Amino acid sequence: MVVDTGSASHYLPSVTTELLFHQEPLSQKYLQVHFVPDQYTAVETTEAGYQLTDPDIPDPPVRLVFRGPEVEWPLSLDSPTGDEYASLRSSAAGQPAVLGTPFLSQRKGVIFDFTPGKERIGFIGNDRILSLEEKIGNRPRQRFVQFIVGASLGLGIGIGWKWYEGSLF
Amino acid sequence: MHGTKRIVLGGRHTWQSTVCTTTSTYPCPRVGTRPVSSTPSFPVNLHFIPPRDILVNAYIGTPPQKFRLLLDTGSSDLWVRSETLVPWEPGTKFHPLRSSTWQQSRAHWATTYVDKAVIEGIEGVEKVRIGDFEVDARVGVAESITTVDEHGRKKKRGKVEGIKAGTRGLPPIDGLLGVALGSSFVDGLRGAGARGIKITFRVGEEGKNDLCILRDTDGEEGVLWYDVETDEREPSWEIVLKKILVGKTFSRVNWGQRVARA
């Protein structure tokens, strides 16, 4: 997926966008979905615009997970131009998937690292995203702590009950 | 790289989003940034106009001439308008013969955009300065901008159209700064010791949008990194989308980064 500051929309393969918009919950919210080959002509395939007939869409309706840190990045479907089309569209055949500026500008920032041999893109998340990632990252430790606390509590109650009954010692 | 790309130059879009126009301080005073001086020689003055337009200042030629350019990570060409471009439109233009460092490399240069707009002219190697960095980069000088309307009619333009910049009192642009991974400008930055470009957005918050050029990227904090996986013959800023979640369901992405041809 090309991270492109020259794009006001996001583009995914037609197959993927069709699946997304034909399945719940988006199929309940996006009606009369049609596809256009360019910005002027409507047909069945290639470049797509999705006519939004019900603006009450889930928030965030779509989250993206990239190869790397397992973070769900929310993707707004709001029209970048204020028209009836969603921001997510279908790529033409042979064209790459594109992640446009509206995604980047919802982050605190983005870094394009062109260090030779170590090229990478860094998203500077907002606090909610980073805390989510922290939670995911700390999940095994959290479960261990929960187990210890639960086991201690159970042991304490058991010992207390035995003591109360007088059967302890 | 002169392939088609996403930016729409002659489109019919009427942009309706609210406008956030802030300027930057440069260099960004953050971890990992090692500015050469506290006051940049050639201020970037990033200006973000939602939903897309990221405008930066670059200083081209000798003596340096200031141009406001649209920053574009999806293309490789850096180009500015020529003084000979018709129809005449106000704004900064470039005249190669008035620069002592201009070295023409191609008598005909062209690039095409996704809306079939064609930019043509000459190309040369020129000094480009941004912030505290000076690089030698290929610069296209646009002598012709041709757009195609919805009826297929071609029309000569004197400026970039179809973007929000330049409309409703917003600052116009004088050209494009393509910073794709394989671009001449990024190569030049590498040669000058730079290692990354950092853009900071503060839409709807206090503070200013920033762009700074980093000499070291490892020291940056609060960043989640994704490795670029791209075609080495045509390198671009590509990362791999693994899955898409909609509500409580998810779709695993198996199609790779490119779309299969129909």
Side-chain angles (χ1 to χ4, degrees):
Chain A
M1 199 168 197
V2 176
V3 181
D4 185 357
T5 60
S7 180
S9 299
H10 317 295
Y11 293 83
L12 289 175
S14 297
V15 174
T16 309
T17 44
E18 279 186 59
L19 273 174
L20 288 176
F21 282 88
H22 288 164
Q23 287 177 351
E24 290 187 3
L26 293 187
S27 61
Q28 296 175 327
K29 305 292 180 185
Y30 286 81
L31 308 176
Q32 298 175 20
V33 173
H34 65 275
F35 299 87
V36 291
D38 54 44
Q39 56 184 323
Y40 308 115
T41 318
V43 292
E44 290 287 316
T45 56
T46 64
E47 301 272 5
Y50 296 94
Q51 193 170 19
L52 177 65
T53 55
D54 182 353
D56 181 23
I57 54 173
D59 181 37
V62 175
R63 284 109 63 211
L64 305 179
V65 178
F66 303 103
R67 186 184 293 166
E70 282 280 331
V71 171
E72 298 172 11
W73 297 97
L75 182 76
S76 169
L77 295 184
D78 291 347
S79 169
T81 53
D83 59 17
E84 71 271 32
Y85 298 107
S87 66
L88 186 57
R89 303 183 176 198
S90 291
S91 291
Q95 293 295 315
V98 170
L99 193 62
T101 304
F103 173 86
L104 304 176
S105 64
Q106 293 306 307
R107 317 277 79 84
K108 275 191 170 177
V110 58
I111 300 175
F112 296 92
D113 184 349
F114 44 78
T115 304
K118 205 180 77 175
E119 291 84 356
R120 55 188 180 164
I121 294 173
F123 296 134
I124 305 171
N126 53 34
D127 295 340
R128 195 170 64 86
I129 293 284
L130 291 178
S131 65
L132 189 70
E133 199 266 342
E134 199 171 85
K135 276 182 195 168
I136 293 167
N138 289 338
R139 195 168 283 167
R141 195 177 67 190
Q142 282 178 348
R143 285 184 179 159
F144 177 73
V145 170
Q146 283 169 357
F147 172 77
I148 294 296
V149 169
S152 305
L153 203 62
L155 197 63
I157 290 170
I159 291 171
W161 180 252
K162 290 283 182 188
W163 174 79
Y164 177 73
E165 277 188 323
S167 60
L168 193 66
F169 310 116
Chain B
M1 195 189 319
H2 300 291
T4 57
K5 61 173 305 299
R6 285 280 162 214
I7 209 164
V8 177
L9 292 174
R12 59 169 182 178
H13 298 303
T14 51
W15 304 94
Q16 295 174 3
S17 304
T18 54
V19 178
C20 171
T21 55
T22 54
T23 54
S24 72
T25 54
Y26 179 92
C28 307
R30 287 179 177 78
V31 176
T33 307
R34 288 187 289 150
V36 173
S37 63
S38 58
T39 306
S41 310
F42 301 97
V44 177
N45 287 334
L46 186 142
H47 198 120
F48 177 50
I49 306 172
R52 172 189 55 198
D53 305 346
I54 300 171
L55 314 186
V56 295
N57 287 346
Y59 303 77
I60 301 173
T62 307
Q65 197 178 352
K66 184 170 83 176
F67 291 88
R68 186 182 286 115
L69 307 176
L70 185 73
L71 185 77
D72 182 13
T73 58
S75 70
S76 297
D77 290 294
L78 190 177
W79 63 266
V80 290
R81 294 182 301 164
S82 167
E83 280 199 348
T84 61
L85 181 65
V86 287
W88 184 88
E89 291 281 352
T92 312
K93 319 272 177 52
F94 187 72
H95 196 304
L97 297 180
R98 289 188 194 146
S99 171
S100 62
T101 45
W102 170 262
Q103 290 182 307
Q104 185 167 317
S105 53
R106 278 199 282 178
H108 180 253
W109 156 87
T111 188
T112 306
Y113 292 88
V114 74
D115 65 344
K116 300 178 186 137
V118 180
I119 319 297
E120 291 177 277
I122 59 172
E123 187 186 67
V125 176
E126 182 57 285
K127 298 281 182 199
V128 181
R129 302 163 187 89
I130 186 165
D132 283 312
F133 287 86
E134 178 183 287
V135 305
D136 289 323
R138 287 195 298 273
V139 176
V141 182
E143 297 172 334
S144 163
I145 300 175
T146 309
T147 60
V148 181
D149 67 15
E150 60 263 44
H151 306 295
R153 290 188 296 250
K154 292 183 178 177
K155 190 169 183 181
K156 296 285 184 187
R157 305 281 182 176
K159 63 177 183 178
V160 173
E161 296 191 356
I163 61 173
K164 202 167 176 181
T167 63
R168 299 180 192 178
L170 293 167
I173 61 166
D174 307 311
L176 254 77
L177 175 56
V179 290
L181 198 47
S183 66
S184 166
F185 185 70
V186 166
D187 281 346
L189 283 175
R190 279 174 169 154
R195 290 296 173 261
I197 297 171
K198 178 180 182 180
I199 304 167
T200 308
F201 294 102
R202 290 192 179 88
V203 181
E205 294 178 22
E206 290 293 317
K208 294 175 178 178
N209 298 314
D210 286 333
L211 182 144
C212 54
I213 297 171
L214 306 175
R215 291 180 184 276
D216 170 34
T217 54
D218 289 332
E220 292 296 315
E221 293 174 344
V223 185
L224 295 171
W225 291 104
Y226 295 90
D227 289 337
V228 167
E229 299 184 37
T230 184
D231 184 347
E232 288 183 2
R233 293 166 297 177
E234 195 176 323
S236 61
W237 291 109
E238 283 186 86
I239 56 177
V240 177
L241 181 60
K242 195 170 149 191
K243 57 187 174 183
I244 303 167
L245 297 97
V246 184
K248 292 177 181 175
T249 63
F250 76 90
S251 303
R252 192 167 291 281
V253 180
N254 295 317
W255 36 264
Q257 292 168 270
R258 292 274 169 179
V259 184
R261 288 186 182 277

